[in-house]
Amino acid sequence: MNGNKGQGFLENFLMWGVVTVLLIGLLYISMGLVSINYRIARADDAVRSLAITADAVNNLGIENKNTVKVSIPSGVKSVSVSGNEISLELDVRGKPMKVSKNTRSNVVGSIPLITGDYQIPVKTISDDLVKIGNEAWMLHLEPPCMKFSDLPLALR
């Protein structure tokens, strides 16, 4: 009789051990997926907020401005604010993933690459051009003795 109690205890101990190891593995995998989805959602929110604000400021006319609070996630490799597109490229498990939104107006400017919360100014500078960020931009040259094929040009 005593041998059966020991065997039952050992079987229960092993069964709960296997269940615990499986649950820990499942939690580890799910936390990794939640982290990735959270970073992508933060990037999407930042890009969407900037695109909506750029269109809203452009609809109000020249010299209108607004400030947008955005959270830049970790792993941002590159930023593009040009033409009718605002995009962030994230590094997700070693592979690039692009999060972008289109705007009705043309946009120029920059978004910080460093993780954190930022207040980014958005300002209409012409009929169909909205500047995002604080960097200086060259829109045209007077006199036009020098030719640049891709104005507006960022000055850093």
Side-chain angles (χ1 to χ4, degrees):
M1 282 282 214
N2 289 339
N4 289 339
K5 287 183 182 179
Q7 181 179 356
F9 174 76
L10 183 61
E11 288 173 357
N12 283 334
F13 183 74
L14 289 174
M15 180 185 68
W16 286 111
V18 169
V19 168
T20 302
V21 167
L22 290 175
L23 284 176
I24 290 171
L26 183 63
L27 287 173
Y28 179 76
I29 291 169
S30 65
M31 289 303 291
L33 293 174
V34 166
S35 172
I36 290 170
N37 288 336
Y38 178 68
R39 285 178 40 217
I40 292 169
R42 281 180 66 184
D44 187 57
D45 287 345
V47 170
R48 178 175 291 140
S49 295
L50 287 168
I52 289 170
T53 304
D55 287 337
V57 166
N58 187 48
N59 288 338
L60 294 173
I62 297 175
E63 294 298 320
N64 281 293
K65 58 185 172 181
N66 198 351
T67 303
V68 182
K69 184 177 181 180
V70 296
S71 292
I72 304 298
S74 61
V76 175
K77 295 298 178 191
S78 67
V79 173
S80 173
V81 180
S82 63
N84 291 71
E85 183 181 59
I86 302 170
S87 67
L88 292 173
E89 186 175 305
L90 298 171
D91 181 28
V92 178
R93 292 189 176 177
K95 296 180 183 176
M97 179 174 188
K98 184 177 179 181
V99 177
S100 65
K101 296 292 177 209
N102 291 329
T103 60
R104 290 189 301 269
S105 58
N106 289 321
V107 291
V108 295
S110 65
I111 303 170
L113 289 172
I114 300 171
T115 304
D117 296 333
Y118 296 94
Q119 298 280 344
I120 299 178
V122 179
K123 182 179 180 181
T124 304
I125 53 178
S126 73
D127 289 336
D128 191 34
L129 189 61
V130 176
K131 184 177 100 167
I132 296 175
N134 286 324
E135 284 190 2
W137 288 88
M138 184 184 319
L139 299 175
H140 61 276
L141 290 175
E142 288 295 329
C145 60
M146 299 177 71
K147 299 284 184 189
F148 287 102
S149 62
D150 56 348
L151 288 177
L153 178 68
L155 302 176
R156 293 191 172 108

